[in-house]
C-alpha cells in the first residue's frame, strides 16, 4: 500500500467528452503530483501541489486540463473535450518534504474512442 | 529539457543470472530513484539515492548514485521469475521538485 488511492481505475470515454479523475493521498500535509504515462514510456510530469497551492505546471498541461486540490487533501484532474491523444495512464503520487521519493497510486487508465 | 537515457531497453535472461541496468543524463541530478512497474499498475519505489557515490541495497537489489551526479545503475542479483517487469530510473534535477523518468528497461526471466 503506497498510501495513494486513485479513482476510477479505468475510464473509456468518447472523444469530446469531459472526464474527471480523483486522487486521495493518506495525509493532508504533503506534496501531490500528477503524471501521465503513455505506452512504452516513463511517466511524464504534469503538475504538483504543496497543500492546496499548485506550484508548477508542465507545458504538457494544455488549456483543456485543469487540476485542483481544494483543501490540500484529495485532488482532481479534469480533461475537457477529450481527444484520442489523451489516452494514457494518469498517475498520482505523494511525497513528504524534505524527502523527495514519490509514492504512486495504481493509476487511472483513460481510453478515448 | 532534462532527459534520462536508460539502457538497455529490454533484457531476456535466465533465472539465477545477475542483471545490470543504468541511466545517464547530461544534467546533474540531486536524487536518483529506481522503480518497478507491473502491467496496469503504478510504479513501486525500490531504492532512493541522495548523495553522489552512495551505494544502497534492498535485498537482492543494489543501486549507486554516480560520482558525477549524472548517472545511476541498478543491479539485481540471482534473478527470479517475479523480477519480471519494467524498471524505471527517475531523477530530481538540481532545481525544482518534479521527477524526470527514463523510458524503462523491460526485464523478462526464463525459468
Amino acid at each position: 500500500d503506497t498510501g495513494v488511492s486513485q479513482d476510477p481505475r479505468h475510464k473509456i470515454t468518447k472523444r469530446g467528452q469531459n472526464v474527471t479523475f480523483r486522487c486521495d493521498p493518506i495525509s493532508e500535509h504533503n506534496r501531490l503530483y500528477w503524471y501521465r504515462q503513455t505506452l512504452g514510456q516513463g511517466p511524464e510530469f504534469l503538475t504538483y501541489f504543496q497543500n492546496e497551492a499548485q506550484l508548477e505546471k508542465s507545458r504538457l498541461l494544455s488549456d483543456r486540463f485543469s487540476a485542483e486540490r481544494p483543501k490540500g487533501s484529495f485532488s482532481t484532474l479534469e480533461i475537457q473535450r477529450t481527444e484520442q491523444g489523451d489516452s494514457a495512464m494518469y498517475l498520482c503520487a505523494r511525497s513528504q518534504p524534505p524527502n523527495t521519493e514519490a509514492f504512486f497510486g495504481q493509476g487511472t487508465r483513460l481510453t478515448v474512442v | 529539457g532534462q532527459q534520462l537515457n536508460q539502457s538497455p531497453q529490454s533484457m531476456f535472461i535466465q533465472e539465477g543470472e545477475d542483471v545490470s541496468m543504468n541511466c545517464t543524463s547530461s544534467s546533474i541530478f540531486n536524487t536518483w530513484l529506481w522503480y518497478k512497474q507491473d502491467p496496469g499498475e503504478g510504479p513501486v519505489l525500490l531504492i532512493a539515492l541522495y548523495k553522489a557515490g552512495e551505494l544502497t541495497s534492498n535485498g537482492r537489489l543494489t543501486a549507486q548514485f554516480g560520482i558525477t551526479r549524472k548517472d545511476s545503475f541498478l543491479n539485481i542479483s540471482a534473478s527470479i521469475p517475479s523480477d519480471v517487469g519494467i524498471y524505471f530510473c527517475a531523477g530530481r534535477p538540481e532545481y525544482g521538485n518534479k521527477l524526470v523518468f527514463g523510458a524503462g528497461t523491460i526485464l523478462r526471466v526464463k525459468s
Side-chain angles (χ1 to χ4, degrees):
Chain A
D1 183 6
T2 61
V4 181
S5 297
Q6 291 190 246
D7 182 70
R9 292 291 310 277
H10 304 275
K11 178 72 177 178
I12 300 175
T13 190
K14 291 183 179 179
R15 190 172 50 188
Q17 297 293 306
N18 299 345
V19 293
T20 300
F21 311 140
R22 179 177 170 123
C23 173
D24 283 89
I26 56 169
S27 171
E28 294 183 357
H29 304 292
N30 55 43
R31 289 191 181 129
L32 186 149
Y33 299 80
W34 285 99
Y35 285 80
R36 181 173 70 186
Q37 185 178 25
T38 53
L39 203 60
Q41 300 298 319
E44 295 176 293
F45 171 78
L46 292 178
T47 188
Y48 93 93
F49 294 83
Q50 174 71 49
N51 297 319
E52 67 273 12
Q54 189 173 16
L55 296 185
E56 187 175 350
K57 292 195 290 186
S58 161
R59 282 171 291 179
L60 291 176
L61 215 64
S62 76
D63 291 345
R64 296 184 299 105
F65 287 68
S66 63
E68 293 183 347
R69 196 181 184 199
K71 298 181 180 179
S73 55
F74 73 91
S75 176
T76 58
L77 178 68
E78 181 184 17
I79 309 174
Q80 296 182 328
R81 304 181 303 282
T82 51
E83 302 173 354
Q84 286 189 317
D86 297 331
S87 295
M89 173 82 93
Y90 289 84
L91 294 161
C92 178
R94 66 174 179 91
S95 71
Q96 187 68 47
N99 295 327
T100 306
E101 60 260 33
F103 299 94
F104 284 84
Q106 293 177 302
T108 295
R109 168 73 65 189
L110 173 67
T111 303
V112 182
V113 297
Chain B
Q2 293 117 344
Q3 286 187 321
L4 294 183
N5 300 308
Q6 187 170 349
S7 65
Q9 276 189 314
S10 65
M11 306 179 74
F12 194 10
I13 63 168
Q14 189 72 40
E15 182 178 358
E17 288 184 356
D18 296 344
V19 172
S20 184
M21 59 191 79
N22 69 81
C23 264
T24 61
S25 172
S26 57
S27 306
I28 288 174
F29 285 81
N30 283 346
T31 303
W32 286 95
L33 306 172
W34 286 92
Y35 288 87
K36 179 175 183 273
Q37 187 174 30
D38 293 326
E41 302 293 329
V44 175
L45 181 65
L46 300 173
I47 291 182
L49 302 158
Y50 292 101
K51 295 181 184 176
E54 180 181 354
L55 184 71
T56 297
S57 293
N58 178 7
R60 293 178 296 106
L61 278 58
T62 301
Q64 184 158 31
F65 192 141
I67 290 288
T68 64
R69 295 166 63 192
K70 294 181 179 181
D71 63 315
S72 176
F73 72 74
L74 174 70
N75 288 342
I76 305 173
S77 62
S79 57
I80 59 178
S82 62
D83 290 335
V84 164
I86 305 177
Y87 291 79
F88 289 98
C89 62
R92 184 174 73 86
E94 275 192 290
Y95 305 104
N97 290 300
K98 65 184 180 187
L99 292 177
V100 178
F101 281 79
T105 294
I106 301 171
L107 179 62
R108 299 186 181 91
V109 179
K110 289 184 286 185
S111 43

